[in-house]
Amino acid sequence: MSQPELILAFESSCDETSVAVIKNGDTILSNIIATQINSHKRFGGVVPEVASRHHVEQITEVIDLAMKEAKVTYEDLDAVAVTYGPGLIGSLLIGVTAAKTVAFAHNLPLLPINHIAGHIYAAQLVKPLVYPLLALVVSGGHTELVYMQSAGDFKIIGDTRDDAAGEAYDKIGRVLGINYPAGKEVDRLAHLGQDTFNFPRAMDDSEDLDFSFSGLKSAFINTVHHADQIHETLSREDLATSFQAAVVDVLTHKTLRALHDHPVSQLVVAGGVAANLGLKERLTKELANTDIDLIVPPLRLCGDNAAMIGAAAHVALAKKQFGSLDLSADPGLDFDHA
Amino acid sequence: MYLLALDTSNQTMSVAVMHDQTLLAETTINHKKTHSEQLLPTIQNLLKQSDLTVDQIDRIIVAEGPGSYTGIRIAVTTGKTLAYTLNKELVGVSSLAALAAGVTDTEALIVPLMDARRQNVFAGVYQWVNGELINVVEDSHLPLTQLLEEVRVLRQPAVFVGADVEKFAEEIRATLGAKANLADPLRAYPRASRIALLGMHAKPVSVFDFVPTYLRVTEAERNWLKTHSDEGHEPYVEKV
Ligand SMILES: [Zn+2]
């Protein structure tokens, strides 16, 4: 038996400080996540400077917990991986700086990883990936359809033109008086009401696979404001159900079209909004009579975490995509657009 | 004892490798490349030039702030990660003390300051007493006028040092007159070798608890605190 491949991975692109040890790209030895959600709840969203400060407070302890839980030493490691974008610059810099320092101190190769690649590769911690595959990445910051011809090859075939899906949830959540982050509560309410408002779905019949949520968001806000003006109280459940139905419709419609244009045998749905039950139920139903295998990673791997970065880094290591000690964060890092 | 000292608090980055009081190698760069890109390659070069490997370093001394928030975090994160991962001693030194320590051979008060915008500064007051740099007025974030008043009541000659002193020269002279001097502009660049000397005998700190000294809460928190209490809350950061 040869030695297992062990990667120490770092993720700090937004408001989670996370370090993981991943074996052979598919097995989690540790995945420590320190979330700052209680801090940012105060402000109704992530405040970059506050996030950066929490990352510095947490980073050393999180590395320590990850190494101890995995029961590994630095001599056992094969590489150090880190998210270097996209994300918040100040947040990214903490993970990048810490990861580079560990790599330098122990003379280990450094693997710079794209955060979105990480979200997709969370699926590899669930089951082996089969290429080509299609991924729908939906989170507070992203709504993208990514086509992968082979391992480590990412092409964006659909993107949001305005808000990310998760961002739309937070914005309408605010109107409903739901605390940030609103996704989970809106999803819960959406399972209790009816789609009575029939909000617009931006999914024109043109060939493109892009998303738009701003029209939906405006329609929602206008509906609630109009009702306020005439002192009418609308059902929160019906509002949530109608909003979620519109989001899920748009995401499903574009994903099915992408699957039609790009035949694959696996669909990966990843990112924080992938934890949304409404989306998962709908896609499961739509794909029931097809050969397409739907992979939605468990909740803990859908949000930001370092295990997913370690899984993506396994591919980067095989391809020898090393970074050097002058690596910096790239907040606007993107894949190629097809 | 081998020492590695780091300062990335402001635009200038300085790194030094020392053997006790002997300087082995030092680099000070005042060029607008990010500290994140330059710091580790610089450390690597200096160690090589000193014929040392990183695990031979016994103590890491970091300028802990105040300064640019993003800037300080680079040296602090690098220093604490290095100290943690190689099990070395870690010491933090005030970035203002580091500036003050560059002004030697004077019995005057030394006033290091950094522009904190809107007529506010990060500043402290220091003085050499028997070869030791003493902190006379604690580092803080305060209006320039208040700083000048605090210096005035001390009724001693004062030397102002820092990259931003030139732009406050008029106000400084208006309040303090002939008692005030501006340091030679080259003193405005912090030198890591000075930081090493300042931190050489200090008691090491916990790598887990070490954070930058910002001297200022964030604007978001300041506004939030106007209408909320910071007590009895859930932990802001939780391991999940
Ligand atoms: Zn994410």
Side-chain angles (χ1 to χ4, degrees), chain A residues 257-312:
Chain A
R257 178 180 284 175
L259 286 168
H260 177 264
D261 296 352
H262 304 267
V264 296
S265 55
Q266 277 183 345
L267 171 68
V268 171
V269 180
V273 179
N276 181 296
L277 290 174
L279 177 63
K280 199 163 145 180
E281 288 158 3
R282 176 71 181 279
L283 285 170
T284 305
K285 196 174 120 210
E286 294 285 346
L287 298 178
N289 296 318
T290 69
D291 302 329
I292 300 167
D293 181 17
L294 172 69
I295 313 178
V296 184
L299 187 61
R300 189 177 168 80
L301 298 177
C302 277
D304 291 349
N305 69 91
M308 69 187 199
I309 302 304

Short mmCIF file of all heavy atoms in Angstrom, two decimals, chain A residues 257-312:
data_model
loop_
_atom_site.label_atom_id
_atom_site.label_comp_id
_atom_site.label_asym_id
_atom_site.label_seq_id
_atom_site.Cartn_x
_atom_site.Cartn_y
_atom_site.Cartn_z
N ARG A 257 -32.31 23.29 -19.54
CA ARG A 257 -31.88 23.69 -20.87
C ARG A 257 -30.38 23.41 -21.04
O ARG A 257 -29.95 22.92 -22.09
CB ARG A 257 -32.15 25.18 -21.10
CG ARG A 257 -31.66 25.64 -22.47
CD ARG A 257 -31.94 27.09 -22.70
NE ARG A 257 -33.34 27.30 -23.00
CZ ARG A 257 -33.89 28.51 -23.16
NH1 ARG A 257 -33.14 29.59 -23.00
NH2 ARG A 257 -35.15 28.63 -23.44
N ALA A 258 -29.59 23.69 -19.99
CA ALA A 258 -28.14 23.42 -20.05
C ALA A 258 -27.89 21.93 -20.22
O ALA A 258 -27.02 21.51 -20.99
CB ALA A 258 -27.47 23.93 -18.78
N LEU A 259 -28.69 21.11 -19.54
CA LEU A 259 -28.52 19.65 -19.64
C LEU A 259 -28.87 19.18 -21.05
O LEU A 259 -28.28 18.24 -21.57
CB LEU A 259 -29.42 18.94 -18.62
CG LEU A 259 -28.95 19.03 -17.16
CD1 LEU A 259 -30.06 18.56 -16.23
CD2 LEU A 259 -27.69 18.20 -16.96
N HIS A 260 -29.84 19.85 -21.65
CA HIS A 260 -30.24 19.52 -23.03
C HIS A 260 -29.12 19.85 -24.00
O HIS A 260 -28.77 19.07 -24.89
CB HIS A 260 -31.52 20.28 -23.38
CG HIS A 260 -31.96 20.06 -24.78
ND1 HIS A 260 -31.64 20.94 -25.80
CD2 HIS A 260 -32.66 19.05 -25.35
CE1 HIS A 260 -32.14 20.49 -26.94
NE2 HIS A 260 -32.76 19.34 -26.69
N ASP A 261 -28.51 21.03 -23.83
CA ASP A 261 -27.43 21.48 -24.72
C ASP A 261 -26.12 20.72 -24.48
O ASP A 261 -25.28 20.63 -25.36
CB ASP A 261 -27.13 22.98 -24.51
CG ASP A 261 -28.33 23.85 -24.89
OD1 ASP A 261 -29.30 23.30 -25.45
OD2 ASP A 261 -28.28 25.06 -24.62
N HIS A 262 -25.91 20.31 -23.25
CA HIS A 262 -24.64 19.67 -22.87
C HIS A 262 -24.93 18.35 -22.18
O HIS A 262 -24.99 18.29 -20.96
CB HIS A 262 -23.85 20.57 -21.91
CG HIS A 262 -23.59 21.95 -22.44
ND1 HIS A 262 -22.43 22.27 -23.12
CD2 HIS A 262 -24.32 23.08 -22.40
CE1 HIS A 262 -22.48 23.54 -23.47
NE2 HIS A 262 -23.61 24.06 -23.04
N PRO A 263 -25.11 17.31 -22.93
CA PRO A 263 -25.50 16.04 -22.30
C PRO A 263 -24.41 15.53 -21.34
O PRO A 263 -23.23 15.51 -21.71
CB PRO A 263 -25.65 15.08 -23.49
CG PRO A 263 -25.76 15.95 -24.70
CD PRO A 263 -25.00 17.21 -24.40
N VAL A 264 -24.80 15.21 -20.15
CA VAL A 264 -23.88 14.72 -19.12
C VAL A 264 -24.61 13.63 -18.33
O VAL A 264 -25.82 13.48 -18.46
CB VAL A 264 -23.46 15.83 -18.13
CG1 VAL A 264 -22.68 16.93 -18.82
CG2 VAL A 264 -24.68 16.41 -17.40
N SER A 265 -23.87 12.92 -17.51
CA SER A 265 -24.55 11.92 -16.70
C SER A 265 -24.64 12.33 -15.24
O SER A 265 -25.30 11.67 -14.45
CB SER A 265 -23.87 10.56 -16.84
OG SER A 265 -22.51 10.69 -16.53
N GLN A 266 -23.96 13.42 -14.85
CA GLN A 266 -24.08 13.90 -13.47
C GLN A 266 -24.39 15.39 -13.43
O GLN A 266 -23.79 16.17 -14.17
CB GLN A 266 -22.77 13.67 -12.70
CG GLN A 266 -22.61 12.27 -12.14
CD GLN A 266 -21.34 12.13 -11.32
OE1 GLN A 266 -20.44 12.96 -11.39
NE2 GLN A 266 -21.26 11.05 -10.55
N LEU A 267 -25.30 15.73 -12.53
CA LEU A 267 -25.56 17.15 -12.24
C LEU A 267 -25.21 17.38 -10.77
O LEU A 267 -25.76 16.73 -9.89
CB LEU A 267 -27.04 17.49 -12.49
CG LEU A 267 -27.47 18.90 -12.00
CD1 LEU A 267 -26.80 20.00 -12.82
CD2 LEU A 267 -29.00 19.05 -12.06
N VAL A 268 -24.26 18.29 -10.56
CA VAL A 268 -23.89 18.64 -9.19
C VAL A 268 -24.57 19.96 -8.83
O VAL A 268 -24.47 20.92 -9.60
CB VAL A 268 -22.35 18.81 -9.07
CG1 VAL A 268 -21.97 19.39 -7.70
CG2 VAL A 268 -21.64 17.48 -9.32
N VAL A 269 -25.27 20.01 -7.72
CA VAL A 269 -25.84 21.27 -7.26
C VAL A 269 -25.10 21.63 -5.97
O VAL A 269 -25.07 20.83 -5.03
CB VAL A 269 -27.35 21.17 -7.02
CG1 VAL A 269 -27.91 22.50 -6.54
CG2 VAL A 269 -28.04 20.76 -8.33
N ALA A 270 -24.45 22.78 -5.97
CA ALA A 270 -23.58 23.11 -4.84
C ALA A 270 -23.74 24.56 -4.42
O ALA A 270 -24.39 25.35 -5.10
CB ALA A 270 -22.13 22.84 -5.25
N GLY A 271 -23.15 24.91 -3.29
CA GLY A 271 -23.26 26.26 -2.75
C GLY A 271 -24.34 26.31 -1.69
O GLY A 271 -25.18 25.40 -1.59
N GLY A 272 -24.35 27.38 -0.91
CA GLY A 272 -25.25 27.50 0.23
C GLY A 272 -26.72 27.30 -0.11
O GLY A 272 -27.47 26.70 0.66
N VAL A 273 -27.17 27.78 -1.30
CA VAL A 273 -28.59 27.68 -1.66
C VAL A 273 -28.95 26.24 -2.05
O VAL A 273 -30.12 25.87 -2.07
CB VAL A 273 -28.95 28.71 -2.76
CG1 VAL A 273 -30.41 28.60 -3.16
CG2 VAL A 273 -28.65 30.13 -2.29
N ALA A 274 -27.94 25.41 -2.32
CA ALA A 274 -28.20 24.00 -2.65
C ALA A 274 -28.84 23.30 -1.46
O ALA A 274 -29.49 22.26 -1.61
CB ALA A 274 -26.90 23.30 -3.06
N ALA A 275 -28.64 23.88 -0.27
CA ALA A 275 -29.25 23.29 0.93
C ALA A 275 -30.77 23.54 0.95
O ALA A 275 -31.48 22.96 1.75
CB ALA A 275 -28.61 23.89 2.17
N ASN A 276 -31.22 24.40 0.05
CA ASN A 276 -32.63 24.75 -0.03
C ASN A 276 -33.45 23.54 -0.49
O ASN A 276 -33.20 22.97 -1.55
CB ASN A 276 -32.75 25.91 -1.04
CG ASN A 276 -34.17 26.39 -1.21
OD1 ASN A 276 -35.01 25.63 -1.68
ND2 ASN A 276 -34.42 27.62 -0.84
N LEU A 277 -34.41 23.15 0.34
CA LEU A 277 -35.17 21.94 0.06
C LEU A 277 -36.02 22.07 -1.20
O LEU A 277 -36.13 21.13 -1.98
CB LEU A 277 -36.07 21.59 1.24
CG LEU A 277 -35.32 21.11 2.48
CD1 LEU A 277 -36.29 20.93 3.64
CD2 LEU A 277 -34.59 19.81 2.19
N GLY A 278 -36.59 23.24 -1.40
CA GLY A 278 -37.47 23.45 -2.56
C GLY A 278 -36.74 23.14 -3.86
O GLY A 278 -37.28 22.46 -4.75
N LEU A 279 -35.51 23.61 -3.96
CA LEU A 279 -34.72 23.40 -5.18
C LEU A 279 -34.38 21.92 -5.36
O LEU A 279 -34.50 21.36 -6.45
CB LEU A 279 -33.45 24.24 -5.12
CG LEU A 279 -32.49 24.09 -6.29
CD1 LEU A 279 -33.13 24.53 -7.60
CD2 LEU A 279 -31.20 24.89 -6.05
N LYS A 280 -33.99 21.30 -4.27
CA LYS A 280 -33.59 19.89 -4.32
C LYS A 280 -34.78 19.01 -4.72
O LYS A 280 -34.67 18.13 -5.58
CB LYS A 280 -33.08 19.51 -2.92
CG LYS A 280 -32.24 18.28 -2.87
CD LYS A 280 -31.49 18.28 -1.54
CE LYS A 280 -31.32 16.89 -0.99
NZ LYS A 280 -30.61 16.93 0.30
N GLU A 281 -35.94 19.29 -4.11
CA GLU A 281 -37.15 18.50 -4.41
C GLU A 281 -37.52 18.61 -5.89
O GLU A 281 -37.82 17.62 -6.55
CB GLU A 281 -38.33 19.02 -3.56
CG GLU A 281 -38.22 18.66 -2.09
CD GLU A 281 -39.05 19.57 -1.17
OE1 GLU A 281 -39.77 20.47 -1.69
OE2 GLU A 281 -38.94 19.39 0.04
N ARG A 282 -37.45 19.86 -6.38
CA ARG A 282 -37.87 20.09 -7.76
C ARG A 282 -36.93 19.40 -8.75
O ARG A 282 -37.36 18.74 -9.69
CB ARG A 282 -37.91 21.60 -8.02
CG ARG A 282 -38.23 21.99 -9.43
CD ARG A 282 -39.69 21.72 -9.80
NE ARG A 282 -39.91 22.10 -11.18
CZ ARG A 282 -40.12 23.35 -11.59
NH1 ARG A 282 -40.21 24.32 -10.71
NH2 ARG A 282 -40.28 23.60 -12.88
N LEU A 283 -35.61 19.55 -8.53
CA LEU A 283 -34.66 18.95 -9.45
C LEU A 283 -34.74 17.41 -9.39
O LEU A 283 -34.63 16.73 -10.42
CB LEU A 283 -33.24 19.43 -9.15
CG LEU A 283 -32.93 20.87 -9.59
CD1 LEU A 283 -31.60 21.34 -9.04
CD2 LEU A 283 -32.92 20.98 -11.13
N THR A 284 -34.95 16.89 -8.20
CA THR A 284 -35.08 15.43 -8.05
C THR A 284 -36.26 14.95 -8.89
O THR A 284 -36.17 13.95 -9.61
CB THR A 284 -35.32 15.06 -6.56
OG1 THR A 284 -34.27 15.63 -5.79
CG2 THR A 284 -35.35 13.56 -6.35
N LYS A 285 -37.36 15.69 -8.82
CA LYS A 285 -38.57 15.32 -9.57
C LYS A 285 -38.32 15.39 -11.08
O LYS A 285 -38.65 14.47 -11.81
CB LYS A 285 -39.70 16.27 -9.16
CG LYS A 285 -41.07 15.78 -9.53
CD LYS A 285 -42.15 16.71 -8.97
CE LYS A 285 -42.95 17.27 -10.14
NZ LYS A 285 -43.49 18.61 -9.87
N GLU A 286 -37.69 16.50 -11.51
CA GLU A 286 -37.48 16.70 -12.94
C GLU A 286 -36.53 15.66 -13.53
O GLU A 286 -36.61 15.34 -14.71
CB GLU A 286 -36.89 18.10 -13.20
CG GLU A 286 -37.82 19.25 -12.86
CD GLU A 286 -38.94 19.45 -13.88
OE1 GLU A 286 -38.86 18.87 -14.99
OE2 GLU A 286 -39.91 20.18 -13.55
N LEU A 287 -35.60 15.16 -12.73
CA LEU A 287 -34.60 14.23 -13.25
C LEU A 287 -34.95 12.77 -12.98
O LEU A 287 -34.20 11.86 -13.33
CB LEU A 287 -33.22 14.55 -12.65
CG LEU A 287 -32.65 15.94 -12.97
CD1 LEU A 287 -31.32 16.14 -12.28
CD2 LEU A 287 -32.51 16.14 -14.48
N ALA A 288 -36.15 12.56 -12.39
CA ALA A 288 -36.53 11.21 -11.97
C ALA A 288 -36.52 10.20 -13.11
O ALA A 288 -36.07 9.07 -12.95
CB ALA A 288 -37.89 11.25 -11.28
N ASN A 289 -37.00 10.63 -14.26
CA ASN A 289 -37.10 9.67 -15.37
C ASN A 289 -35.97 9.82 -16.38
O ASN A 289 -36.14 9.52 -17.55
CB ASN A 289 -38.46 9.82 -16.07
CG ASN A 289 -39.58 9.47 -15.11
OD1 ASN A 289 -39.46 8.50 -14.36
ND2 ASN A 289 -40.62 10.28 -15.09
N THR A 290 -34.82 10.30 -15.91
CA THR A 290 -33.67 10.43 -16.81
C THR A 290 -32.53 9.57 -16.25
O THR A 290 -32.64 9.02 -15.16
CB THR A 290 -33.18 11.89 -16.88
OG1 THR A 290 -32.61 12.21 -15.60
CG2 THR A 290 -34.29 12.86 -17.20
N ASP A 291 -31.42 9.50 -17.00
CA ASP A 291 -30.25 8.76 -16.52
C ASP A 291 -29.32 9.69 -15.76
O ASP A 291 -28.21 9.31 -15.42
CB ASP A 291 -29.46 8.17 -17.70
CG ASP A 291 -30.33 7.26 -18.54
OD1 ASP A 291 -31.24 6.64 -17.94
OD2 ASP A 291 -30.10 7.19 -19.76
N ILE A 292 -29.75 10.94 -15.58
CA ILE A 292 -28.84 11.90 -14.95
C ILE A 292 -28.85 11.74 -13.44
O ILE A 292 -29.90 11.72 -12.80
CB ILE A 292 -29.22 13.34 -15.36
CG1 ILE A 292 -29.10 13.48 -16.89
CG2 ILE A 292 -28.31 14.36 -14.67
CD1 ILE A 292 -29.72 14.73 -17.45
N ASP A 293 -27.65 11.63 -12.90
CA ASP A 293 -27.45 11.42 -11.47
C ASP A 293 -27.31 12.79 -10.80
O ASP A 293 -26.40 13.55 -11.11
CB ASP A 293 -26.17 10.59 -11.34
CG ASP A 293 -25.83 10.25 -9.91
OD1 ASP A 293 -26.72 10.37 -9.06
OD2 ASP A 293 -24.67 9.86 -9.66
N LEU A 294 -28.24 13.11 -9.91
CA LEU A 294 -28.20 14.39 -9.20
C LEU A 294 -27.41 14.24 -7.89
O LEU A 294 -27.74 13.38 -7.08
CB LEU A 294 -29.63 14.86 -8.89
CG LEU A 294 -29.77 16.09 -7.97
CD1 LEU A 294 -29.28 17.36 -8.66
CD2 LEU A 294 -31.23 16.26 -7.53
N ILE A 295 -26.35 15.06 -7.74
CA ILE A 295 -25.60 15.03 -6.47
C ILE A 295 -25.76 16.37 -5.76
O ILE A 295 -25.36 17.41 -6.30
CB ILE A 295 -24.09 14.79 -6.67
CG1 ILE A 295 -23.84 13.62 -7.64
CG2 ILE A 295 -23.40 14.54 -5.33
CD1 ILE A 295 -22.36 13.38 -7.92
N VAL A 296 -26.36 16.33 -4.59
CA VAL A 296 -26.42 17.53 -3.74
C VAL A 296 -25.68 17.16 -2.45
O VAL A 296 -26.14 16.33 -1.70
CB VAL A 296 -27.87 17.93 -3.42
CG1 VAL A 296 -27.88 19.24 -2.63
CG2 VAL A 296 -28.70 18.07 -4.70
N PRO A 297 -24.51 17.78 -2.23
CA PRO A 297 -23.75 17.43 -1.03
C PRO A 297 -24.55 17.74 0.24
O PRO A 297 -25.45 18.58 0.22
CB PRO A 297 -22.51 18.34 -1.11
CG PRO A 297 -22.43 18.76 -2.53
CD PRO A 297 -23.83 18.81 -3.04
N PRO A 298 -24.23 17.04 1.33
CA PRO A 298 -24.94 17.33 2.59
C PRO A 298 -24.73 18.78 3.02
O PRO A 298 -23.74 19.42 2.64
CB PRO A 298 -24.32 16.36 3.59
CG PRO A 298 -23.05 15.90 2.97
CD PRO A 298 -23.23 16.00 1.50
N LEU A 299 -25.65 19.26 3.82
CA LEU A 299 -25.69 20.66 4.27
C LEU A 299 -24.32 21.23 4.64
O LEU A 299 -23.92 22.30 4.19
CB LEU A 299 -26.63 20.74 5.48
CG LEU A 299 -26.96 22.12 6.02
CD1 LEU A 299 -27.66 22.92 4.93
CD2 LEU A 299 -27.86 22.01 7.24
N ARG A 300 -23.57 20.52 5.47
CA ARG A 300 -22.29 21.00 5.97
C ARG A 300 -21.27 21.24 4.85
O ARG A 300 -20.38 22.07 4.97
CB ARG A 300 -21.72 19.98 6.95
CG ARG A 300 -20.52 20.46 7.71
CD ARG A 300 -20.08 19.42 8.71
NE ARG A 300 -18.76 19.75 9.24
CZ ARG A 300 -18.54 20.66 10.18
NH1 ARG A 300 -19.55 21.30 10.71
NH2 ARG A 300 -17.32 20.91 10.59
N LEU A 301 -21.44 20.50 3.75
CA LEU A 301 -20.49 20.65 2.64
C LEU A 301 -21.00 21.61 1.57
O LEU A 301 -20.31 21.93 0.62
CB LEU A 301 -20.18 19.28 2.02
CG LEU A 301 -19.51 18.28 2.96
CD1 LEU A 301 -19.33 16.94 2.27
CD2 LEU A 301 -18.17 18.81 3.46
N CYS A 302 -22.27 22.07 1.72
CA CYS A 302 -22.83 23.03 0.77
C CYS A 302 -22.36 24.45 1.10
O CYS A 302 -22.07 25.25 0.22
CB CYS A 302 -24.35 22.99 0.79
SG CYS A 302 -25.01 21.68 -0.22
N GLY A 303 -22.33 24.77 2.38
CA GLY A 303 -21.85 26.09 2.80
C GLY A 303 -20.33 26.13 2.60
O GLY A 303 -19.72 25.15 2.17
N ASP A 304 -19.73 27.29 2.90
CA ASP A 304 -18.28 27.40 2.72
C ASP A 304 -17.55 26.54 3.75
O ASP A 304 -17.84 26.59 4.94
CB ASP A 304 -17.85 28.87 2.88
CG ASP A 304 -18.35 29.72 1.73
OD1 ASP A 304 -18.84 29.14 0.72
OD2 ASP A 304 -18.25 30.96 1.82
N ASN A 305 -16.62 25.74 3.27
CA ASN A 305 -15.83 24.86 4.15
C ASN A 305 -14.54 24.51 3.44
O ASN A 305 -14.44 24.60 2.21
CB ASN A 305 -16.64 23.61 4.48
CG ASN A 305 -16.81 22.71 3.27
OD1 ASN A 305 -16.01 21.82 3.03
ND2 ASN A 305 -17.84 22.95 2.46
N ALA A 306 -13.53 24.11 4.20
CA ALA A 306 -12.23 23.83 3.60
C ALA A 306 -12.13 22.43 3.01
O ALA A 306 -11.27 22.18 2.16
CB ALA A 306 -11.12 24.04 4.63
N ALA A 307 -13.02 21.52 3.44
CA ALA A 307 -12.96 20.15 2.89
C ALA A 307 -13.13 20.19 1.38
O ALA A 307 -12.43 19.50 0.63
CB ALA A 307 -14.04 19.29 3.53
N MET A 308 -14.06 21.04 0.91
CA MET A 308 -14.31 21.13 -0.53
C MET A 308 -13.08 21.67 -1.27
O MET A 308 -12.80 21.29 -2.41
CB MET A 308 -15.55 22.00 -0.81
CG MET A 308 -15.37 23.48 -0.49
SD MET A 308 -16.93 24.39 -0.66
CE MET A 308 -16.31 26.08 -0.80
N ILE A 309 -12.31 22.53 -0.59
CA ILE A 309 -11.10 23.07 -1.20
C ILE A 309 -10.03 21.97 -1.29
O ILE A 309 -9.33 21.84 -2.30
CB ILE A 309 -10.57 24.28 -0.37
CG1 ILE A 309 -11.65 25.38 -0.26
CG2 ILE A 309 -9.27 24.85 -0.96
CD1 ILE A 309 -12.19 25.89 -1.59
N GLY A 310 -9.98 21.13 -0.27
CA GLY A 310 -9.06 19.99 -0.28
C GLY A 310 -9.42 19.00 -1.37
O GLY A 310 -8.54 18.39 -1.99
N ALA A 311 -10.72 18.82 -1.61
CA ALA A 311 -11.16 17.90 -2.66
C ALA A 311 -10.76 18.43 -4.04
O ALA A 311 -10.24 17.69 -4.88
CB ALA A 311 -12.67 17.69 -2.58
N ALA A 312 -10.97 19.73 -4.25
CA ALA A 312 -10.58 20.34 -5.54
C ALA A 312 -9.05 20.33 -5.68
O ALA A 312 -8.52 20.19 -6.79
CB ALA A 312 -11.11 21.78 -5.62
#
